[in-house]
Amino acid sequence: MDKSNIEIFKILFSRKKHIVLISLISVVLAYVFTMPLFIKPIYKSTSYVYPANIGLYSEESLTEQLLQYLHSNDIRLYLYKKYNLAKHYKIDTLKKTHMFAYDEIYDKKVGISITKYESVEIKVEDYSPDTAQLLVNGIIDGVNWLIEKEHHEKYADDVKNTKLNVDFAQKEIDSTQHILNDLSEKYGVVDLPVQLKEATKAYYANLNNTRLNEVLSNLGKCGVEFAKLTAYLKYQMKNYALVVGLYEKSLADLNSKKNHVALASKPTYPVVASWPKRTIVMVITGISMFILACIYFVFVDRAKTVYQQISSKS
C-alpha cells in the first residue's frame, strides 16, 4: 500500500472519535431541523383516472385527449376561482403578475402524467393534507365540467340543426297535403284506390250514369298526379319520422349528464408527509458530514505535520 495512504488511515484512525461524534451530531441536528417547527411538511395526494364518454375527435388516443384537458388553462382557472387559491397561496392579487405567480406555484404543486397502463396520474402537493386531496378532487370535477361544457355546446348545435330539419320536413308535408286537399276539393278525389275500384265495378256493371262518368273523368284528370303525390307524402312522412328521431336523440344528449373521468383510484388522503423524508435526510446528512470530517482532519493534520517540518528546519 502506498505510504501516503497508510498515513491517511493513521490520521483517520486517530481522529475516529471526532469523526463519529461530528457525524452523530449532524444526524441529531438533521432530525431536529426536519421537525414541523422548522420545516413545513408537504403532503401529496394521488389519483389515477381513465377517460370516459369523451368521443374521439382526432388521431390522439382518448387518454391523450384527457391529458390535454387536464393540462388546459381552464382547469387552472377553475381551481383558482373555486377554492380561492390566491388567498391559500398568499398571492398579492393587486400585482399585475399575480397570475404568473399562481402558474409557477401550480406547476410546482401539481403533476399530471400518463402511466404505462394508459391511465393518467394526478398528483397534488400541499402543506395541508385536506387541501391536497381537495385539489385532486377539484381537478377531476373541473375536467368533467370542461368536457361537459364542450359537449353541451356541440349537442346544442346538433339540436338546432336537427330542429331545422324537422321544421323543413314538416313544411314539405304540409305543402304536399295542401295540394292533395286542393285536388280532393276540386275533383272529389279522397281515396284513389277505393274510388277507382268502385268506379271500375260500376263501369263493368253497365251502370252508365252521369255521376259515374263524372267520377271517371275526374280520376282521369288528376288520378296520376294524386297517386304520385300520395306516394310522395308517404315518403315525406317516413323522412319526417327519421329526422324527428334524430332531433329527439340530440335533445336527449343535450339534457343528459355524464361523467367523463373514470376513477381507477380515488384521491388518497395523505397521512404521512411526502417531504421531508426524515430518515433519508438524516442518512444523507450523516454520510455527508462523515466524508467532510474525514477530509477536514486529513487536511488539518497533514498541514500541521508539514508546518512542524518547516519549523524544525528553520
Side-chain angles (χ1 to χ4, degrees), residues 168-201:
F168 180 76
Q170 183 64 60
K171 286 180 180 178
E172 282 193 322
I173 290 173
D174 292 342
S175 177
T176 303
Q177 188 65 59
H178 179 70
I179 295 172
L180 285 171
N181 291 340
D182 286 345
L183 289 175
S184 295
E185 185 177 349
K186 185 175 181 181
Y187 296 104
V189 181
V190 178
D191 191 328
L192 182 64
V194 173
Q195 287 179 293
L196 186 60
K197 183 178 180 181
E198 293 299 323
T200 303
K201 285 181 180 180

Side-chain angles (χ1 to χ4, degrees), residues 94-247:
L94 297 178
K95 291 183 178 179
K96 293 182 179 179
T97 58
H98 70 278
M99 290 306 298
F100 178 76
Y102 168 66
D103 285 338
E104 284 189 326
I105 295 171
Y106 185 92
D107 290 335
K108 290 179 182 177
K109 301 285 187 182
V110 178
I112 299 171
S113 59
I114 296 179
T115 70
K116 62 181 180 179
Y117 302 108
E118 284 298 308
S119 64
V120 177
E121 181 186 53
I122 304 172
K123 296 186 295 186
V124 175
E125 293 181 343
D126 199 85
Y127 296 124
S128 165
D130 294 319
T131 303
Q133 186 186 47
L134 182 70
L135 290 179
V136 174
N137 276 314
I139 290 173
I140 295 170
D141 292 341
V143 169
N144 277 320
W145 162 79
L146 178 59
I147 298 176
E148 184 65 26
K149 184 183 75 168
E150 290 192 0
H151 280 208
H152 189 276
E153 292 172 357
K154 173 183 174 295
Y155 289 131
D157 287 338
D158 289 345
V159 169
K160 182 180 177 182
N161 293 331
T162 52
K163 183 63 169 64
L164 290 174
N165 291 336
V166 169
D167 293 342
F168 180 76
Q170 183 64 60
K171 286 180 180 178
E172 282 193 322
I173 290 173
D174 292 342
S175 177
T176 303
Q177 188 65 59
H178 179 70
I179 295 172
L180 285 171
N181 291 340
D182 286 345
L183 289 175
S184 295
E185 185 177 349
K186 185 175 181 181
Y187 296 104
V189 181
V190 178
D191 191 328
L192 182 64
V194 173
Q195 287 179 293
L196 186 60
K197 183 178 180 181
E198 293 299 323
T200 303
K201 285 181 180 180
Y203 176 80
Y204 284 105
N206 294 318
L207 297 177
N208 190 10
N209 55 51
T210 305
R211 178 58 184 164
L212 175 60
N213 292 333
E214 183 181 350
V215 170
L216 289 173
S217 176
N218 289 339
L219 290 176
K221 291 177 181 178
C222 71
V224 175
E225 184 180 1
F226 194 91
K228 287 181 178 180
L229 287 173
T230 302
Y232 185 52
L233 181 62
K234 289 180 179 179
Y235 167 78
Q236 289 176 325
M237 294 292 285
K238 288 181 180 180
N239 183 62
Y240 178 79
L242 178 63
V243 295
V244 167
L246 293 174
Y247 170 71

Side-chain angles (χ1 to χ4, degrees), residues 202-311:
Y203 176 80
Y204 284 105
N206 294 318
L207 297 177
N208 190 10
N209 55 51
T210 305
R211 178 58 184 164
L212 175 60
N213 292 333
E214 183 181 350
V215 170
L216 289 173
S217 176
N218 289 339
L219 290 176
K221 291 177 181 178
C222 71
V224 175
E225 184 180 1
F226 194 91
K228 287 181 178 180
L229 287 173
T230 302
Y232 185 52
L233 181 62
K234 289 180 179 179
Y235 167 78
Q236 289 176 325
M237 294 292 285
K238 288 181 180 180
N239 183 62
Y240 178 79
L242 178 63
V243 295
V244 167
L246 293 174
Y247 170 71
E248 290 177 348
K249 182 181 181 302
S250 60
L251 194 61
D253 289 334
L254 177 65
N255 295 325
S256 65
K257 299 294 181 182
K258 299 177 181 177
N259 283 328
H260 304 282
V261 177
L263 290 178
S265 173
K266 292 182 179 180
T268 57
Y269 184 83
V271 179
V272 180
S274 61
W275 183 260
K277 295 289 187 183
R278 180 168 287 174
T279 303
I280 296 175
V281 173
M282 290 168 62
V283 170
I284 293 174
T285 303
I287 293 173
S288 300
M289 291 307 297
F290 176 83
I291 295 171
L292 288 173
C294 290
I295 295 172
Y296 172 78
F297 286 120
V298 168
F299 175 78
V300 170
D301 286 3
R302 294 191 74 172
K304 284 182 179 180
T305 302
V306 173
Y307 178 75
Q308 289 174 355
Q309 290 176 353
I310 295 173
S311 298

